[in-house]
Amino acid sequence: MRSVFSSVFSCCLLLAQGGAAALVGQPLSQGRAGRRSAVGMVTAAPELKDKQQSFDTSIAEVPKCPETVWNSENIDLAAVQSPSRVLPVEITAADVPEGMSQEEFFRARRPELLEQLTAGGAIWLRGFDLMKTKEGFASFYEQLELEPCQDPLASVGARAVVDKKSAMYEAVNKPSRAKFFVGMHAESTYKRTNRLGAFVCFKQAETGGEFLLLDGHKMLKDLDPAVLRRLYDKGVRFSNAELPFFDFLRTLPEPLQPLKEPLKGVFKAVAQVAVGAKIDMELELRWDENEEDGLRLLAFSPTQPPVNRHPVTGEPAWFCNVHSHSRYLRDGRDGKLVESSGASKLNVTNMFYGDLSEVSADDLKHIDEVTMKNLVYVPMEKGDVVLVDNYQVMHGRDVFTGERLHAVTWFQ
């Protein structure tokens, strides 16, 4: 019995690892990926050394990610206007005046750049030498006076820490995830959401691996009004992870079958205490059982709206991680995940209505179609940085081959 409790506790430490960022979808079809040429490598990239990977990647010297600013009541969905903007705003090293250093350029342009970021949703900084190193990347955001914060999922170690001093986390570069499409998502949990993010490329993949953007304003405008209304009225609830280690209870010997329900109660209580003490996500554990998945505990976040107002502009935007979290959409992109081990066994997510009823396949397909129609591919090269306003623009990552080294720092 001790080994079972030990397994439960270990699983709780891993629970939700992967979260919003490591929740990957499936490989794209060869036809769509093949229409884009890969960007050739011309310079070597720095290794992402000093990586800290554990079940907790909190950084004591850095503030926690701020709590999510929810402002979603009484939104007039019919009045939403589609913006005329095109993601992302592009700024290149050629824009730096002669005789001015790149650091001086960012410092002088700080107010203008931050205004452009709020108005445009995302900025792609191209061709700058400054951000080709970890130190230069940190200097870049210091010139903009951005205040780093921890990863929203720091308590569960969703990403390795690349550099504690600069609050830099590794993006989804793992070779084991190269063939999985990272679905579009805001970097957010129900409880915590960073305001801004800066994604940097230290080495682009041999092929693919483009950074992806999705305008939450256009998404909101293009969704079928009936689909949007259903989601908004009912709210959504995410199953963020699962503990799949309890199926032995279904096959207990006949004399022990009366113990199944009492043991379920014990295991759930122990796991819920461990999750509550460890994981900063307000998760509720619920049992689920079927022939395909067996008996397992699912970890649910509270009910939340799929639309949220921007904390600065007050404009509503699509703010729903269904594209990355929906099991139906992931399976449709790549087939069902093969059996895995460790944390990957737990990174199984799904989305439901707020009452935990199923979202129809037709509605999910429609959301996927609108998402893919509005997707923007950003083929970042070494030293490129994409600044993202996390409350109005979602991000993701295409499949890739070869080594890929990207990192990210979140800001309050």
Side-chain angles (χ1 to χ4, degrees), residues 16-25 172 181-183 185 240 324-325 330 347-349:
Q17 182 163 339
L23 296 173
V24 299
V172 187
F181 177 84
V182 178
H185 60 281
N240 291 285
S324 63
H325 281 56
R330 287 197 312 275
N347 293 341
V348 181
T349 63

Side-chain angles (χ1 to χ4, degrees), residues 31-168:
R32 179 156 58 83
R35 288 198 293 269
R36 299 189 306 280
S37 60
V39 178
M41 287 299 300
V42 292
T43 55
E47 294 183 9
L48 299 184
K49 295 179 180 178
D50 305 323
K51 290 192 292 186
Q52 166 197 332
Q53 180 65 73
S54 69
F55 299 145
D56 189 327
T57 53
S58 301
I59 306 173
E61 302 81 0
V62 178
K64 284 187 176 182
C65 178
E67 293 191 357
T68 306
V69 180
W70 289 109
N71 181 9
S72 58
E73 297 294 324
N74 303 315
I75 294 177
D76 186 353
L77 300 176
V80 173
Q81 298 297 314
S82 182
S84 58
R85 66 186 184 185
V86 176
L87 294 181
V89 176
E90 292 190 28
I91 296 174
T92 71
D95 296 320
V96 179
E98 186 175 352
M100 178 181 283
S101 72
Q102 292 181 1
E103 287 176 312
E104 291 171 334
F105 172 76
F106 290 123
R107 186 163 57 250
R109 291 279 298 273
R110 174 185 174 275
E112 179 184 349
L113 287 173
L114 295 182
E115 287 179 6
Q116 286 181 299
L117 180 56
T118 299
I123 297 176
W124 182 10
L125 300 163
R126 308 184 64 177
F128 288 88
D129 292 329
L130 177 63
M131 292 88 83
K132 288 182 178 180
T133 65
K134 292 188 294 183
E135 297 75 16
F137 174 59
S139 178
F140 150 74
Y141 69 69
E142 288 170 0
Q143 307 313 310
L144 297 181
E145 300 180 15
L146 297 177
E147 300 179 26
C149 65
Q150 296 181 39
D151 190 302
L153 295 167
S155 65
V156 293
R159 299 175 185 80
V161 175
V162 174
D163 189 278
K164 294 179 70 173
K165 183 179 179 181
S166 57
M168 190 185 309

